[in-house]
Amino acid sequence: AQSVTQLGSHVSVSEGALVLLRCNYSSSVPPYLFWYVQYPNQGLQLLLKYTSAATLVKGINGFEAEFKKSETSFHLTKPSAHMSDAAEYFCAVSGPGANSKLTFGKGITLSVRP
Amino acid sequence: ETGVTQTPRHLVMGMTNKKSLKCEQHLGHNAMYWYKQSAKKPLELMFVYNFKEQTENNSVPSRFSPECPNSSHLFLHLHTLQPEDSALYLCASSYGGPDTQYFGPGTRLTVL
């Protein structure tokens, strides 16, 4: 069984400040980990994914995440927030098998203050 | 048109109506998915199809009936829904397994 925990439902940062969105996972098999972003009135878009290669994964729009097995974490960061980063962010976990399914966290809403 | 498209984008229906949601993918994928997104809850996987065959039914009530006539099209037929079924219904496609899923914009469903 797999699960993802995203603590808190809302994060607010100032424009230019560091963005840190936390994700902890539980998995009985080597996990594949994903971060998706959802802008208002749109579907989910992949930001980045970890597939057992490099532990530091770079994604689109300046986001990156680091896989830490010892901490079972896959936190999302961005050095400097832009107003356009305001959205909902979802962490998800999957197993490596052909019949694996994505299990999502409940999401975190990111607000960016001018 | 590219990516994953969904129609209609918005739907309001009564509890006795019958309606259908449509999803189409132009990515050459073989797997298609229906998810339900409700406020303050994680995305709920409803159905999975691989090469037109249903491989997952996540204990979804029978008032939701999926149909996958080919690998590019996916439908969700709705009948006698309840107000608690109001949500955003998202379609996604992929090459299956842990491959990245690509999502459509969703259908916002309101059941009166």
Side-chain angles (χ1 to χ4, degrees), chain A residues 5 40 43:
Chain A
T5 301

Side-chain angles (χ1 to χ4, degrees), chain A residues 34 36 38 41 43 49 98 101, chain B residues 9 37 56 97-98 100-101 104:
Chain A
F34 304 77
Y36 281 85
Q38 185 178 30
N41 301 313
K49 66 178 180 180
K101 299 174 295 184
Chain B
R9 293 293 309 276
Q37 185 178 27
E56 182 84 19
T100 300
Q101 292 185 19

